[in-house]
Amino acid sequence: MNYMKFDIKGQPATEAYEEMFKTLLQESDRGVFIVATALLDSFMVELLRYELKKCNSNKTVKEEFIKSLHSYHKRMTACHALGFIPKDVHDELSLIKKIRNSTAHNYSNFSLDDIEDEIMRLSLADVNSNVWDLLNKAEKKSSKNPEEVSVSRLKFIFAMSVTNMLFYLSAPMRGIDLDKYKESIENIKLKVKDRSS
């Protein structure tokens, strides 16, 4: 899989994010968190490059600055400190980092249930959970074995949340109006809530 060679500008947004979402779902229960943060990290670097192009300083100095931010945490903090992402996005990225660290540094038997509380604190977890319920009902109706679930609920919720975050981080580079994007997310929340009621 070539998810790390993803070209932010070279592929239509819906196609690109669908591909990334599917890639995340194909990962192991532990691997999904590692790959997700690697994707987010690379998108933060691209966001920094994009936004820093607007600054009136030497290109070499800008690249040196980005290289000095050699960790997910530092890139996330710089994106927020420089005003490229709001506090709620920073907090979401921080929670994703915490989830990743708790899974990556756990050498014992691991289960998604161990981190359910953290996953359910992600900003769109309730909406993504309702979407999973709707899709799961449809899948069970069409399946020969209705007891079998193709993707775990928690992995689905996490992958959807990360895909949303990837979309948000790349929106400026794609020329997407973030206010309209936030409005569309609110509309999706209402539609999903109506369908799941």
Side-chain angles (χ1 to χ4, degrees):
M1 294 181 198
N2 65 352
Y3 47 79
M4 295 309 289
K5 294 181 181 174
F6 173 70
D7 177 7
I8 291 172
K9 298 171 208 131
Q11 196 175 17
T14 52
E15 185 181 305
Y17 298 107
E18 183 178 328
E19 184 181 315
M20 279 186 258
F21 176 68
K22 287 179 181 176
T23 297
L24 290 172
L25 291 181
Q26 291 171 1
E27 290 294 327
S28 68
D29 286 354
R30 190 183 307 255
V32 67
F33 303 104
I34 296 165
V35 171
T37 53
L39 279 167
L40 289 166
D41 195 31
S42 67
F43 273 52
M44 285 187 279
V45 169
E46 291 304 317
L47 178 61
L48 286 162
R49 279 195 180 109
Y50 176 80
E51 293 292 351
L52 289 173
K53 280 182 186 175
K54 300 172 188 175
C55 295
N56 204 13
S57 60
N58 182 292
K59 184 178 180 179
T60 306
V61 171
K62 292 180 215 178
E63 277 302 314
E64 297 265 335
F65 172 69
I66 292 170
K67 286 179 185 174
S68 74
L69 305 170
H70 51 79
S71 70
Y72 180 99
H73 180 81
K74 288 181 179 184
R75 290 176 184 132
M76 172 186 69
T77 303
C79 284
H80 179 53
L82 295 169
F84 303 155
I85 61 172
K87 183 180 183 329
D88 62 327
V89 172
H90 173 271
D91 293 347
E92 186 90 348
L93 289 167
S94 187
L95 178 56
I96 290 168
K97 181 186 81 152
K98 180 182 177 192
I99 293 168
R100 181 250 177 227
N101 286 345
S102 68
T103 60
H105 300 292
N106 179 349
Y107 58 87
S108 63
N109 290 338
F110 169 74
S111 166
L112 289 172
D113 295 335
D114 298 340
I115 55 170
E116 180 174 9
D117 291 343
E118 287 89 352
I119 290 173
M120 294 310 293
R121 286 188 12 234
L122 292 166
S123 65
L124 293 176
D126 56 337
V127 174
N128 294 337
S129 181
N130 290 337
V131 169
W132 186 88
D133 290 341
L134 292 169
L135 292 173
N136 196 36
K137 284 177 191 173
E139 186 178 319
K140 283 183 177 182
K141 283 181 183 177
S142 66
S143 176
K144 293 178 183 175
N145 185 358
E147 296 305 311
E148 189 177 298
V149 177
S150 59
V151 175
S152 82
R153 178 178 150 272
L154 293 173
K155 186 190 273 188
F156 179 90
I157 292 167
F158 181 79
M160 284 290 285
S161 296
V162 168
T163 303
N164 177 62
M165 196 59 30
L166 291 166
F167 188 89
Y168 186 92
L169 291 172
S170 69
M173 294 168 270
R174 290 183 174 279
I176 295 169
D177 181 333
L178 286 172
D179 289 331
K180 287 182 181 178
Y181 171 67
K182 289 176 185 177
E183 187 179 305
S184 70
I185 290 293
E186 291 306 314
N187 289 334
I188 290 169
K189 285 181 180 180
L190 292 173
K191 287 178 184 176
V192 168
K193 188 176 182 180
D194 287 345
R195 285 191 178 176
S196 61
S197 301

